[in-house]
Amino acid sequence: MAIGTNMEWMKQFEREIEDTFREAEKEASLFPFPLNGIGVDHLAKLNPLRSGQGSNLITFLLPYWLSEYAGSSPEVGRELAVGNVFAMLHFFLLDDAMDEGGIMKGAGAPSRRLLALGQLCHAAFQGRYDRIAVPGWSWSASNNEYVRQWAEAVAEEGEVAADPGDVGRLARKSAPVKLCVAVILRLSGREDRLPELEKAVDLALATLQLSDDWTDWREDLAGGQEKCNAFLTLARERIALPLAEPLDERQVRRAIYRANAAGALSDIADGYSERMSRLTDIPGELYAFQRATAAGIREGADEVAAVKTRLAVEGGLSYFLSQHVIK
C-alpha cells in the first residue's frame, strides 16, 4: 500500500539510486573475504530497484534533495548518499545482532560476522562523510547527538508502547538520517535552517513509521512486538481494550472493520502532512515523499472501507464480521 505508492513515486530517482548502490557495492566488494560477499548481498537486499521494497528511500535520497536545495554539487549528495547506505546497513546489522531478526534473518551469517561487517560499514560511512570538508567544523558532535537519540529509542523499544501521535518518538530510531541535513546546511552556510528542516524530516520519518507499522502489524503481533507498533497501540485504543488484556488478531480486525482504526491512522498521517505544509522553505521532494507515504496509508484505509461497502451491498458483511472480528 504505502510502500507501493512510494515505489511508484521513486521512479523519477532511479538514476540516483542506481549510482548510489553501484558505488556502495563497489566499495563493499573490497572488504576482506568473506565479508565482501556478505556485504554486497546485503546491499542488494536494501536496493529498492532489486528488492521491490521502498520504505528506506529517504535514507539515500535525502542527501540528493538537500544538495539541490542548498546549492551544493551533485557529488556532495552522492558521497553522503553512499555514506547513508553504509550507515543504514550498519544499524540494520546491529538490530539483527540484538534480536536475530530483521531484514537479514535467515541469511546464515553468524552474529560474529554480522558485527564485523557492521564495523566495516561504519568505517565506510565515516570515510564518505570525511570527504565532505566543512572548514572549521567537525560533523562528529552532530552525529553523536543523533546516535544518542537512536540509542534511546532502541533502549525503550518494547518497554513503552509506541504512540502514533508522538512525532519525536516515532522518528527517533531513524534520527541518524538527519546527519546529512546538518552537514549540507553547514557546508552551504545555511545552518540557521537546521531546526526547521529537522522538524520536516521528523514528520516524514514519523509518517514512514506509521506506514511500516500498518504494513507489519500481523508480523509484529505474532512476534510479541505489540508495543513496538504504533498501529497496534491505536487498534487497542479504538476498541478500548484494557492494557492488562492481551491483543489478538481478531481484536485487531475488529478495530479495523468496526472501529475505523485504519481511517484513524490515516487521519494522523494526514495531520502530519498538514503540519509539514506549514513549515517554510523545505525541499519539495521531502514534502512530496511525506505526502506519498501518507497517501499510501490512506489507500489502505480506503481499501478497508471499500471491502465493508461491497460486503454490505452484497449482503455478506454480517457473515464477514462474524468470521473475522469479535462481536
Side-chain angles (χ1 to χ4, degrees):
M1 297 174 186
I3 289 177
T5 298
N6 272 330
M7 289 297 292
E8 289 297 316
W9 175 83
M10 79 158 194
K11 287 181 179 179
Q12 60 190 302
F13 303 106
E14 285 186 359
R15 187 183 68 180
E16 287 86 353
I17 296 171
E18 288 176 352
D19 290 345
T20 299
F21 278 90
R22 184 185 306 112
E23 187 73 16
E25 289 180 10
K26 179 180 178 181
E27 183 163 355
S29 70
L30 300 177
F31 291 169
F33 178 84
L35 301 178
N36 52 353
I38 299 172
V40 170
D41 287 345
H42 287 351
L43 287 171
K45 293 182 180 181
L46 295 175
N47 186 340
L49 299 179
R50 298 185 188 177
S51 67
Q53 300 296 315
S55 62
N56 297 305
L57 290 173
I58 189 172
T59 303
F60 39 84
L61 289 180
L62 183 59
Y64 290 106
W65 304 337
L66 289 168
S67 61
E68 182 176 351
Y69 161 84
S72 300
S73 69
E75 289 74 19
V76 168
R78 185 172 61 254
E79 288 285 0
L80 297 183
V82 174
N84 279 11
V85 166
F86 279 116
M88 175 173 62
L89 181 51
H90 166 69
F91 284 113
F92 277 144
L93 291 169
L94 277 180
D95 283 345
D96 284 352
M98 286 187 284
D99 62 19
E100 298 182 358
I103 65 164
M104 309 307 170
K105 187 175 182 180
S111 294
R112 183 185 299 271
R113 286 184 177 177
L114 293 183
L115 289 172
L117 176 59
Q119 288 305 106
L120 290 174
C121 289
H122 187 261
F125 145 72
Q126 288 182 311
R128 294 286 172 163
Y129 269 73
D130 282 342
R131 294 181 191 180
I132 307 303
V134 182
W137 180 76
S138 171
W139 53 266
S140 61
S142 294
N143 185 56
N144 290 343
E145 171 57 25
Y146 297 134
V147 170
R148 183 189 66 80
Q149 294 175 24
W150 166 84
E152 288 177 346
V154 171
E156 74 173 21
E157 193 171 39
E159 301 295 328
V160 180
D163 182 354
D166 190 332
V167 171
R169 280 183 59 201
L170 289 172
R172 273 192 310 174
K173 195 172 181 181
S174 299
V177 169
K178 293 184 286 187
L179 179 60
C180 65
V181 183
V183 170
I184 289 178
L185 291 181
R186 189 81 182 197
L187 185 65
S188 62
R190 303 187 64 184
E191 56 266 34
D192 60 303
R193 297 295 307 149
L194 183 59
E196 193 87 339
L197 281 176
E198 284 187 323
K199 292 178 184 177
V201 174
D202 279 348
L203 285 164
L205 291 173
T207 307
L208 182 58
Q209 188 61 58
L210 294 183
S211 172
D212 287 347
D213 287 352
W214 165 241
T215 301
D216 298 337
W217 71 260
R218 294 175 186 83
E219 180 180 344
D220 289 342
L221 185 65
Q225 300 295 311
E226 178 194 336
K227 287 186 176 180
C228 301
N229 189 299
F231 174 69
L232 292 177
T233 300
L234 182 62
R236 178 180 284 273
E237 291 175 354
R238 297 295 292 188
I239 59 173
L241 184 68
L243 293 176
E245 296 185 23
L247 182 69
D248 61 32
E249 184 168 339
R250 283 176 66 86
Q251 290 167 322
V252 176
R253 291 185 179 278
R254 175 186 169 194
I256 293 172
Y257 289 100
R258 287 193 169 182
N260 194 33
L265 187 76
S266 184
D267 289 342
I268 293 171
D270 288 344
Y272 291 167
S273 297
E274 173 59 28
R275 288 170 61 176
M276 201 162 178
S277 71
R278 295 197 295 268
L279 299 177
T280 60
D281 191 22
I282 63 174
E285 296 91 345
L286 178 60
Y287 184 33
F289 173 82
Q290 190 279 334
R291 285 186 298 172
T293 307
I297 300 174
R298 177 62 66 185
E299 286 176 15
D302 289 346
E303 287 176 12
V304 170
V307 168
K308 291 176 63 177
T309 299
R310 185 175 70 252
L311 290 172
V313 170
E314 296 173 355
L317 181 59
S318 296
Y319 176 77
F320 177 84
L321 294 177
S322 71
Q323 295 298 309
H324 294 280
V325 304
I326 295 176
K327 295 182 180 179

